[in-house]
Amino acid sequence: MARLISPEKLFWLVIALTSAMPVHAELEISGVADDVRDGLQVLTGLDELPCDAPRWWVDRAYRQAVEQLRRGMEAYGYYHATVTGELKRGEQCWNASFAIEPGDPVRIGRAAVVVAPPLGAEPGMIAALKGLDLQPEERFSHSGYEAAKSRLLDVAQSLGYFDAEFTRHQVSVDLPTNTADIDLELDGGTRYRIGHIETIQEDLHQQLFEQFLTVHEGDYYDAAEITKTYRQILESGYFDRVLVAPELEARADGTVPVTVRAVTGTRRTALIGAGFATDTGPRLRSEIRYRRINRRGHRAGASMLLSPVQSELTGDYRLPYGDPTHEWLSLTGGFSYDDTDSYTSTKRNLGVARTHRLGQRWTETNYVDWRLEDFDIAGETGRTQLTLLGTSLSRTTSIDAPRPVRGHALSIDVRGAAKQLLSDTNVLQVIGRAKQIVPLTDRLRLLGRVSAGWTWQSEFEELPPSIRFFAGGDNSVRGYAYESLGPEEDGVVVGGRRLLTGSLELDALVRPKWSVAVFADSGSAFDDAPTFSSSVGLGVRWYSILGPIRVDIAHPLDDPGHTVRLHISLGPDL
């Protein structure tokens, strides 16, 4: 049976252990910047001697430290530094302090950096030479000199000059003039080409997998293309771990073999969760996705959302088409039910789409979307069938982070339907959206967004709610209920032919995962001339593993019946 220690014995045990803890020597260095001081302390190692070390040992280490500090200052470019010190002995240990007068730093006098062709003619090497921090009159330091050498070798290696070496590397310091002359000569040798490419993967047809490769046998080696191949395979979504690496030890006859290895994890992922958003109220969401159905790279997924305002069940099937890195065909279908303050709607839809990259930044999607919608709005019921033919363009650029500090997202969607093409009415619609994040300081950023829409249609009453424009809600004009703004009939909002909304938000990071915001929103859904409704408010953001969670309190400026409205939403900034 275990025995308990009495409080008195525990007290004296703590005292004994504390008294037995070793006492360390103190080393103080003054007169230099913090980063220099930290480096000098590591260089001397004087404070690592035990307090019970023999006196002669401590005295010798102290005398050596003076010379070590002086030479250490030379490494930082101060060749005229003076070091004075004092060694004190106390009852328990000794302490040393040093005061350093750096003097004038050595300046670069002449910097002759020569890279022999063909390496010297490579655009990447030319850019690296222009960016070297070895300009005349700049302060010289050995660390900066070595960093410049490493930079040049890194560029050479990245371009396939694996045998590159310095045939001359010399620094001449002239103490009377306090200058340093630098001579560097780099010979790149042979530029290697890509040799045999070994691909190791078991989940896709080899022909399909090889379309993700941007490196090919016989090409000149380029680390940028190696990285691009790595990203394309990883971003395809088929694989969890990817390795694209040159086998440098096996290089011969001007070629270097490359190994490409891709490993998958689970083929199927499932998600179920509950949440809350002001627009939808409490909600339950579930999703299942098949990342890879077969070796041809087909995918499928289904999702369900249940909430008091909006419920939906959707499914999709996707297959590569053309270039699998950015081209695919999609088949979609779904059922949705909406019950807002303005209308109720039951919609069924089927669609097919082709997505591909347009240039380097834009993604284009051409689609056909058939929908059958039953609705009740302003006491009028209706059923409309539409076969929408459309084209959308989008681009998003941002830092991949929970709280991006810069970036933008743009999209434009043009769609239309005609009675001659299985539709009950003629309609043409254009919708554009833009978001921008601008950094102001390290912790402060400005977020702006604009949405605009335009509808050409003579028989507006035939349009279902999913085609009409409404404003208000978490992602529109905060301070007003979800889709509660728009033209009215008999006091009931029926939606409009046009839309214009905008927002400006100032966001300040106060803790690593928390920020506060102040914002102003304004917008209108209208038929002829806009009647803007505006709001101002404050918010808090928490950057969780699921994405940013926003809590906003907005004051509507054009709704005297309400003072403030709470908004809770989840989703990325772009």
Side-chain angles (χ1 to χ4, degrees):
M1 181 176 65
R3 298 180 60 186
L4 298 177
I5 300 177
S6 67
E8 182 180 0
K9 289 184 178 180
L10 180 61
F11 170 79
W12 288 112
L13 178 60
V14 171
I15 294 297
L17 291 175
T18 304
S19 301
M21 292 179 63
V23 179
H24 295 282
E26 294 183 3
L27 174 62
E28 296 181 2
I29 299 175
S30 61
V32 294
D34 292 343
D35 58 335
V36 176
R37 182 183 66 246
D38 295 340
L40 294 176
Q41 285 181 329
V42 174
L43 180 65
T44 61
L46 180 61
D47 55 346
E48 295 180 1
L49 290 180
C51 290
D52 57 355
R55 181 166 184 154
W56 62 267
W57 189 0
V58 176
D59 290 342
R60 186 182 67 174
Y62 170 76
R63 291 191 299 271
Q64 291 175 341
V66 174
E67 181 63 17
Q68 289 169 340
L69 292 174
R70 189 185 65 79
R71 291 189 176 275
M73 291 298 292
E74 291 181 0
Y76 288 98
Y78 294 92
Y79 277 73
H80 301 283
T82 58
V83 181
T84 58
E86 183 179 11
L87 180 63
K88 296 180 179 180
R89 289 179 172 82
E91 296 182 358
Q92 294 182 318
C93 196
W94 53 269
N95 299 305
S97 60
F98 297 93
I100 300 177
E101 290 287 343
D104 293 330
V106 171
R107 302 286 177 178
I108 297 176
R110 174 179 56 82
V113 183
V114 178
V115 181
L119 174 58
E122 297 285 354
M125 180 57 70
I126 293 174
L129 289 171
K130 290 181 178 179
L132 287 183
D133 192 16
L134 296 177
Q135 303 303 317
E137 300 302 323
E138 293 289 333
R139 182 173 69 86
F140 170 79
S141 72
H142 286 276
S143 60
Y145 167 73
E146 293 297 335
K149 290 171 58 180
S150 297
R151 170 62 178 157
L152 296 180
L153 284 177
D154 288 344
V155 172
Q157 294 275 330
S158 71
L159 295 174
Y161 293 88
F162 299 116
D163 300 327
E165 62 178 354
F166 285 100
T167 56
R168 180 178 176 83
H169 49 98
Q170 179 177 311
V171 176
S172 302
V173 177
D174 184 47
L175 293 180
T177 61
N178 215 27
T179 59
D181 292 335
I182 299 172
D183 291 283
L184 287 175
E185 293 182 8
L186 179 62
D187 184 6
T190 301
R191 185 180 186 184
Y192 283 77
R193 294 179 180 268
I194 301 292
H196 173 68
I197 301 176
E198 182 181 10
T199 58
I200 305 172
Q201 63 88 29
E202 300 176 351
D203 301 289
L204 299 178
H205 285 312
Q206 187 65 16
Q207 184 178 4
L208 174 62
F209 181 78
E210 289 179 354
Q211 292 186 66
F212 292 103
L213 307 184
T214 64
V215 293
H216 305 90
E217 188 171 343
D219 293 347
Y220 278 118
Y221 179 91
D222 189 337
E225 291 299 322
I226 295 289
T227 301
K228 184 178 179 181
T229 292
Y230 167 82
R231 287 182 175 176
Q232 288 197 162
I233 298 174
L234 191 63
E235 292 174 358
S236 71
Y238 294 115
F239 305 96
D240 293 319
R241 299 190 305 276
V242 177
L243 172 67
V244 184
E247 304 295 339
L248 298 182
E249 295 182 357
R251 68 183 187 273
D253 300 325
T255 64
V256 56
V258 173
T259 298
V260 181
R261 184 189 302 270
V263 180
T264 60
T266 178
R267 295 175 58 183
R268 179 181 62 193
T269 60
L271 172 68
I272 185 169
F276 180 88
T278 317
D279 286 349
T280 61
R283 59 185 180 182
L284 177 68
R285 187 176 190 89
S286 63
E287 182 178 29
I288 184 170
R289 301 215 63 84
Y290 289 85
R291 301 169 58 190
R292 187 187 72 261
I293 293 179
N294 50 43
R295 288 174 57 84
R296 296 188 298 275
H298 294 194
R299 297 172 175 168
S303 64
M304 179 182 68
L305 172 66
L306 298 176
S307 76
V309 175
Q310 184 180 53
S311 298
E312 62 182 17
L313 176 65
T314 62
D316 65 89
Y317 192 95
R318 197 174 95 173
L319 59 153
Y321 176 83
D323 186 344
T325 62
H326 57 263
E327 293 185 79
W328 57 87
L329 293 176
S330 301
L331 304 174
T332 59
F335 171 88
S336 65
Y337 176 77
D338 295 276
D339 185 2
T340 73
D341 293 342
S342 303
Y343 62 85
T344 60
S345 167
T346 301
K347 183 180 67 177
R348 285 80 71 186
N349 74 286
L350 294 172
V352 59
R354 174 182 178 267
T355 300
H356 65 100
R357 187 174 298 165
L358 191 64
Q360 295 296 318
R361 298 183 181 273
W362 290 91
T363 297
E364 179 182 13
T365 300
N366 303 308
Y367 61 89
V368 178
D369 183 23
W370 173 87
R371 61 179 65 183
L372 180 63
E373 189 167 351
D374 296 300
F375 57 92
D376 185 337
I377 187 167
E380 298 291 334
T381 61
R383 166 178 282 196
T384 301
Q385 175 179 278
L386 293 176
T387 301
L388 292 169
L389 283 71
T391 296
S392 67
L393 295 173
S394 63
R395 63 177 288 178
T396 300
T397 61
S398 69
I399 299 174
D400 186 15
R403 183 181 181 270
V405 295
R406 61 167 47 86
H408 67 265
L410 302 173
S411 69
I412 184 169
D413 188 6
V414 181
R415 59 187 183 180
K419 292 182 178 180
Q420 295 83 353
L421 299 175
L422 301 177
S423 297
D424 293 334
T425 187
N426 301 316
V427 62
L428 177 64
Q429 196 168 69
V430 178
I431 304 171
R433 295 182 175 89
K435 295 181 179 180
Q436 180 79 41
I437 300 177
V438 178
L440 301 180
T441 66
D442 291 342
R443 293 179 172 268
L444 194 64
R445 61 178 186 162
L446 181 67
L447 297 87
R449 57 176 168 85
V450 175
S451 297
W454 201 279
T455 305
W456 287 267
Q457 214 277 344
S458 58
E459 301 170 339
F460 184 74
E461 65 277 0
E462 297 292 331
L463 290 183
S466 63
I467 297 296
R468 304 184 188 190
F469 291 121
F470 300 83
D474 299 341
N475 298 304
S476 179
V477 183
R478 286 163 286 189
Y480 302 86
Y482 176 59
E483 297 197 342
S484 63
L485 301 177
E488 299 181 0
E489 290 184 5
D490 299 327
V492 179
V493 177
V494 296
R497 290 182 172 88
R498 302 167 189 174
L499 176 73
L500 184 60
T501 66
S503 173
L504 281 177
E505 181 172 311
L506 198 61
D507 176 292
L509 190 68
V510 293
R511 297 188 65 181
K513 292 185 177 182
W514 293 86
S515 66
V516 295
V518 57
F519 60 85
D521 297 347
S522 186
S524 175
F526 58 99
D527 287 327
D528 298 316
T531 302
F532 288 102
S533 299
S534 303
S535 65
V536 294
L538 302 172
V540 176
R541 283 88 179 92
W542 175 44
Y543 303 99
S544 71
I545 59 175
L546 300 177
I549 297 177
R550 305 176 188 84
V551 179
D552 294 319
I553 296 178
H555 170 57
L557 302 179
D558 303 284
D559 187 356
H562 295 83
T563 56
V564 295
R565 185 176 181 87
L566 175 68
H567 292 269
I568 301 174
S569 60
L570 167 68
D573 291 323
L574 292 178

